């Protein structure tokens, strides 16, 4: 008589930690699978040669020296904002307000450029812009952290709503500063004098932001992994109760960490307005505050790996634009390809962290 087995046919089991080479092997296989699926979708829906499509993506991101510099500059800005949200995420404080914190830095930079350009030297103006941008971003990060620390408000909703407040503040001041009146935009700030424009390095207008963000990346990596503050962030992220038990002031860590996150976002705002666009709009952050969440999560909150995840997402974005132009395809199609690739990359994390265990066949009894 057979024993009845009530166990399910298969169930999901948490894996032990995989060696790094196996984990990255799974990610590489996921990317290859994504490219094959994208090739099939491209052939079936458009009739285009998928190899030509992939070549166009590479051309869009790295086809010329100028395109390459723009790609790396975009990577730098996205990486900077991703670095900003990472300390908060390690603390399990879900900062969804990087877009607003960046806009606060942008607005502060523009305000100094417009209102103080005739009152101080250019060097002093740039120093004032930097302080104002970092302080504005820090303030925008401090407000939700204060309410979380004092009254345990929901940080996800609070930081998300702060994005809308920042957007409307920028929209208001664009109308106040618009040139000419009724134009709906302020145009290039100090175009004739270039007062407040961040300096070029070696005559290259793209290099400054890349160098600044490289320094920030190294600083954040050291801060998170080798400083007392970084240790406290990790302990609070593991358990607030444990952190309190060992004498860590959790409220202080929350506020301090969010001030840091906001300050780095404010620095990104400075680079966008003072170094790249020389103007401010409600869309100047370009959704990077939300994309940064994906970058940080994919990199497992590791600042070094974030360099590569930022590069991947910027490459997909710029390659998608080139596909639309080169093949005359609707931009939605390029978004479909991007979505497929991201789906496989994100989905492969399941197979890194979990495995499917099948029920063994029951033995027959005589």
């Amino acid at each position: 008589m057979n024993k009845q087995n009530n166990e399910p046919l298969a169930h999901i089991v948490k894996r032990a930690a995989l060696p790094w080479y196996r984990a990255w092997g799974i990610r590489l296989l996921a990317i290859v699978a994504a490219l094959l699926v994208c090739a099939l979708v491209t052939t079936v829906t458009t009739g285009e040669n998928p190899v030509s499509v992939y070549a166009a993506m590479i051309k869009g991101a790295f086809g010329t020296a100028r395109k390459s510099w723009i790609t790396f500059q975009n990577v730098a800005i996205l990486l900077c904002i991703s670095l900003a949200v990472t300390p908060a995420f390690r603390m399990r404080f879900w900062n969804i307000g990087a877009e607003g914190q960046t806009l606060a830095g942008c607005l502060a930079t523009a305000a100094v450029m417009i209102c103080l350009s005739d009152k101080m030297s250019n060097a002093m103006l740039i120093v004032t812009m930097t302080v104002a941008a970092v302080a504005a971003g820090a303030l925008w990060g401090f407000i939700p952290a204060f309410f979380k620390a004092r009254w345990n408000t929901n940080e996800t909703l609070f930081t998300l709503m702060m994005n809308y407040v920042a957007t409307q503040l920028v929209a208001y001041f664009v109308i106040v500063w618009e040139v000419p009146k009724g134009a709906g935009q302020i145009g290039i700030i100090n175009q004739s004098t270039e007062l407040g424009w961040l300096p070029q390095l070696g005559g290259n207008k793209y290099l400054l932001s890349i160098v600044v963000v490289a320094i920030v990346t190294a600083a954040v990596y050291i801060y998170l992994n080798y400083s007392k503050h970084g240790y406290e962030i990790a302990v609070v992220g593991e358990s607030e109760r444990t952190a309190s038990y060992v004498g860590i002031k959790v409220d202080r860590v929350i506020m301090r960490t969010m001030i840091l996150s906001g300050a780095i976002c404010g620095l990104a705002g400075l680079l966008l307005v003072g170094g790249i666009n020389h103007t401010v709009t409600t869309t100047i952050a370009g959704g990077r505050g939300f994309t940064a969440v994906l970058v940080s999560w994919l990199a497992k909150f590791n600042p070094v790996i974030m360099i590569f995840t930022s590069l991947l997402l910027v490459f997909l974005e710029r390659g998608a634009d080139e596909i639309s132009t080169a093949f005359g395809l609707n931009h939605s199609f390029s978004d479909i390809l991007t979505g497929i690739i991201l789906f496989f990359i994100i989905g492969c994390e399941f197979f890194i962290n979990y495995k499917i265990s099948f029920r063994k066949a029951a033995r027959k009894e005589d």
Side-chain angles (χ1 to χ4, degrees):
M1 186 175 180
N2 294 334
K3 289 183 178 179
Q4 188 170 353
N5 194 336
N6 293 323
E7 291 184 10
L9 178 62
H11 57 280
I12 298 171
V13 180
K14 177 76 173 177
R15 283 185 187 271
L18 285 177
W20 67 268
Y21 55 86
R22 289 188 62 186
W24 282 102
I26 291 173
R27 294 185 179 103
L28 181 60
L29 287 175
I31 294 174
V32 172
L35 294 176
L36 291 175
V37 172
C38 287
L40 179 62
V41 170
T42 300
T43 302
V44 171
T45 58
T46 70
E48 298 288 350
N49 183 344
V51 175
S52 300
V53 172
Y54 293 145
M57 293 180 70
I58 296 173
K59 180 181 177 182
F62 304 107
T64 64
R66 181 176 179 276
K67 286 182 177 179
S68 297
W69 278 114
I70 293 174
T71 295
F72 289 126
Q73 184 182 67
N74 291 349
V75 168
I77 298 300
L78 177 57
L79 176 59
C80 187
I81 300 174
S82 302
L83 291 167
V85 301
T86 296
F89 285 170
R90 278 203 177 185
M91 189 178 58
R92 297 297 188 266
F93 185 104
W94 306 115
N95 178 18
I96 315 299
E99 191 87 357
Q101 292 152 25
T102 303
L103 282 174
C106 290
L107 183 61
T109 301
V112 172
M113 291 176 73
I114 292 170
C115 300
L116 301 179
S117 60
D118 58 346
K119 295 179 174 60
M120 59 183 67
S121 66
N122 189 48
M124 192 63 194
L125 184 66
I126 291 175
V127 171
T128 306
M129 286 163 47
T130 303
V131 172
V134 170
L139 174 63
W140 224 248
F142 169 76
I143 293 172
F146 177 79
F147 279 83
K148 172 69 175 180
R150 289 289 183 264
W151 296 289
N152 197 31
T153 56
N154 186 301
E155 71 272 15
T156 304
L157 292 177
F158 205 127
T159 53
L160 183 63
M161 293 302 104
M162 292 286 285
N163 292 332
Y164 297 104
V165 176
T167 300
Q168 294 308 312
L169 278 174
V170 173
Y172 171 79
F173 281 101
V174 165
I175 295 173
V176 171
W177 295 326
E178 63 184 350
V179 177
K181 288 298 179 183
Q185 59 183 3
I186 64 176
I188 302 299
I189 302 172
N190 300 336
Q191 186 171 12
S192 59
T193 61
E194 297 189 0
L195 289 172
W197 291 26
L198 298 182
Q200 297 181 7
L201 292 183
N204 189 315
K205 64 181 180 180
Y206 305 105
L207 189 56
L208 178 65
S209 57
I210 297 171
V211 172
V212 169
V213 175
I215 295 171
V216 173
T217 303
V220 171
Y221 180 83
I222 294 170
Y223 177 81
L224 291 176
N225 294 286
Y226 299 103
S227 72
K228 178 186 175 183
H229 288 182
Y231 169 76
E232 291 176 345
I233 288 172
V235 175
V236 171
E238 288 294 327
S239 170
E240 290 188 13
R241 182 174 298 179
T242 301
S244 298
Y245 180 78
V246 298
I248 296 174
K249 297 184 182 300
V250 175
D251 291 357
R252 182 181 298 176
V253 173
I254 290 173
M255 289 187 283
R256 181 183 67 209
T257 303
M258 278 300 293
I259 288 172
L260 174 64
S261 288
I264 298 175
C265 284
L267 179 63
L270 171 74
L271 295 174
L272 283 170
V273 174
I276 298 173
N277 296 303
H278 306 125
T279 189
V280 63
T281 66
T282 55
T283 58
I284 191 170
R288 293 183 182 94
F290 301 107
T291 307
V293 176
L294 179 59
V295 170
S296 183
W297 184 84
L298 282 176
K300 303 294 185 184
F301 313 136
N302 185 320
V304 175
I305 300 177
M306 269 187 262
I307 298 171
F308 302 101
T309 52
S310 298
L311 177 60
L312 173 65
L313 293 180
V314 171
F315 167 75
L316 291 175
E317 178 188 2
R318 289 184 57 76
D321 292 338
E322 183 69 18
I323 291 173
S324 300
T325 303
F327 296 96
L329 299 174
N330 188 300
H331 197 280
S332 298
F333 177 77
S334 56
D335 290 338
I336 291 172
L337 297 186
T338 300
I340 291 172
I341 294 171
L342 290 178
F343 174 80
F344 274 83
I345 293 173
I346 295 171
C348 77
E349 296 298 320
F350 170 85
F351 297 99
I352 294 173
N353 296 304
Y354 299 92
K355 63 180 179 180
I356 300 175
S357 177
F358 292 94
R359 183 183 68 203
K360 294 181 180 179
R363 294 180 178 177
K364 293 183 179 181
E365 293 185 358
D366 296 333

